[in-house]
Amino acid sequence: MTLTVSCRTVVGPLDLDVSFEVARGEVVALIGPNGAGKTSLLRVVAGLRGVEEGRVSLDGDVLVDSSEGMFVAPEARPVGTVFQDYLLFPHLSVLENVAFGLRSRGIGRREARTIASAWIERVGLASYAAAKPTELSGGQSQRVALARALAVDPDVLLLDEPLAALDAATRAATRRDLRSHLERFDGATLLVTHDPLDALALADRVVVLEAGQVTQAGTIGEVVARPRTPYVAELLGVNLLRGEGSGHEVRLDGGGTVAVADPVEGPALVLIRPRSVTLHHDRPEGSARNRWRSTVDSLDLMGDRVRVRLSGEPCVVAEVTTGAVGELGLVEGAEVWATVKATDVTAYPS
Amino acid sequence: MTSGGRRPSIVLIAVASVAVLFFAVPLAGLARRAAWGSLADDLTSSEAMEAMRLSLVCSTSAAALSIAFGLPLAWLLARVEFPGRSLVRGLVLLPLVLPPVVGGVALLSAFSRRGLVGSHLYDWFGLQLTFSTTGTILAETFVALPFFVVTVEAGLRSMDRRYEEAASSLGARPFTVFRRVTLPLILPTVVAGTVLSWARALGEFGATITFAGNIAGRTQTLPLAVYLELESRPDVAVALSLVLLAVSLVVIVGLRERWLGAS
């Protein structure tokens, strides 16, 4: 089952012109600056706004097709949405909120409550079933909104900035929760975010939307290695590694360890900006705590910079000047030493 | 009072005080004029009881009709763009400023036995609205409905419509969205609109007496009884006025939160 979106529509000052696909079991992050048209696109898929020209389909089932004048109403689409401010119904309890979609789809009160209770338990809020949304924290509201959207067993899950309303401390834990729920969800997930960390931590692929146009699409690895626009390079062109933190060290899942300045415990995400990685011919001396041998995999020219993809432990991308490439004699297959200062490594609990 | 703040001028205070007294003195006069000793007897006289019963029936019916017809109308005005919408809104608001007696004359020309619609109602169904309790309810609804529509339309416009979108994205059809999300969220304004239209219907005089006449037990509501008794039995008129005053006070206190704010 694949969600296929292709649409052209005018959104305020913006000409939205976008095509992409999301496969079953896949999480695609729609990322871009504010006002790029991300949320509008999500609303098109949900059926909350029309399109002038375009087609949205789920395998053979057309949700919108301007050429045939087809439009399936939002309530008839197999789509679940987690809205930015969650929009939990303030007059209904947590249980009634989660049961709302089931009741609306004609499931009996008793059965709807049973299914809703199971979902509330699954997101760890069993003791809040009778609470009103105003009694919940931001993170709890997010989990209720997710349970409400998933309870109707949709084929497509839409998430609009699901973590943006949370404070930094709650974010990491909620992101981890969300990740485990998304892994279990077997439909297509489209995640709108402006935070690269959300995209990197949650998505399999990213679609970058700038001023209504897709400027780049691909797997996280591809986009990180070869960002095509300055925005993508700045936002997503980072090395994100997964590992297990223990004090000032993170043991990476892909091999190797990195030293970090701020201690972290347990599952962690490690972020290294390519421009923080320096390359050397011989084993370097100096204060950099992270030093490892690597092989140059590929070189990509980005303006007057070169992005060097290295394989080693860990595999990272380094960004150097064209001058440095000539001086070091960097070619594919060349052996180099890479270094990163511990203070340039950011580690997040994941 | 905070010290150091600029004091308002004496003239300002004096003029404002006159305005306040202008409202307060008639109330005091009413209280002083009341025959408190015979109040219970005056209110339990058969004419008074009959007028109160009729008023209660008619104003409650008018409020119910306002909900039944006003809710769909308010929803259309707030949510659907259709040609002539502002014209329709103006038409609905007209009874708010129209002199009630003119409303009564207009109702007569439409619903009397020889009226535009009334002639057919009489010929086909033998239905006569003038000089009937139904006519009283009709006249009261005419003046009360705008209060309900205006209040509820404002409530619909100010609510966060994204809740409705969330509901429809969860699979709720439009009527379910209205019943389970929209209506609960605007319930306070629906209650306020109902109370306002009920109070307006209760006090209705001009349109009622013009259209439905002044027949004890059938169309003689409280305000009509007050007017009639003022000549023959002023004590009863004052007693009934006190009843209407008390009801008005209860309405004001009940809606205080909404209208007078928390200050």
Side-chain angles (χ1 to χ4, degrees), chain A residues 16-263:
Chain A
L16 199 60
D17 185 356
V18 180
S19 293
F20 63 89
E21 291 192 344
V22 189
R24 173 186 277 278
E26 195 182 31
V27 179
V28 169
L30 198 57
I31 190 163
N34 285 332
K38 308 185 294 288
T39 297
S40 302
L41 204 57
L42 211 66
R43 291 171 61 80
V44 166
V45 177
L48 297 172
R49 72 171 293 144
V51 283
E52 270 118 56
E53 238 184 284
R55 190 183 147 92
V56 178
S57 62
L58 203 54
D59 280 344
D61 299 336
V62 174
L63 299 181
V64 168
D65 192 332
S66 57
S67 63
E68 295 173 26
M70 276 277 297
F71 179 82
V72 177
E75 63 266 25
R77 298 187 181 199
V79 175
T81 307
V82 175
F83 294 88
Q84 187 164 4
D85 308 326
Y86 314 132
L87 299 178
L88 300 177
F89 304 126
H91 58 291
L92 299 180
S93 69
V94 165
L95 182 66
E96 289 164 333
N97 262 283
V98 177
F100 188 95
L102 299 159
R103 297 281 293 133
S104 298
R105 285 166 200 236
I107 292 171
R109 183 182 297 267
R110 186 178 297 246
E111 195 189 346
R113 287 187 160 239
T114 310
I115 301 173
S117 298
W119 271 102
I120 293 168
E121 200 158 320
R122 210 175 299 181
V123 296
L125 290 171
S127 56
Y128 288 88
K132 284 281 163 66
T134 45
E135 299 165 44
L136 302 178
S137 71
Q140 291 168 336
S141 300
Q142 196 272 352
R143 280 143 69 193
V144 174
L146 184 69
R148 185 174 72 170
L150 289 175
V152 294
D153 193 22
D155 293 331
V156 177
L157 179 65
L158 304 176
L159 302 159
D160 191 2
E161 302 274 8
L163 304 168
L166 305 176
D167 58 69
T170 330
R171 261 186 115 137
T174 311
R175 189 186 290 123
R176 187 175 56 230
D177 273 359
L178 184 57
R179 187 180 154 79
S180 74
H181 287 294
L182 292 183
E183 275 168 1
R184 266 178 280 169
F185 177 60
D186 59 2
T189 305
L190 185 60
L191 161 81
V192 158
T193 180
H194 68 273
D195 184 342
L197 206 57
D198 291 349
L200 296 168
L202 299 170
D204 305 307
R205 281 196 303 127
V206 286
V207 171
V208 184
L209 199 60
E210 290 179 67
Q213 316 284 317
V214 175
T215 50
Q216 191 163 8
T219 64
I220 301 280
E222 288 164 11
V223 175
V224 168
R226 294 197 180 82
R228 275 204 230 122
T229 71
Y231 169 79
V232 182
E234 182 58 38
L235 193 73
L236 283 172
V238 295
N239 297 293
L240 191 86
L241 309 162
R242 218 173 270 290
E244 187 78 14
S246 162
H248 289 277
E249 251 188 19
V250 178
R251 182 169 300 281
L252 301 170
D253 295 351
T257 54
V258 285
V260 294
D262 300 313

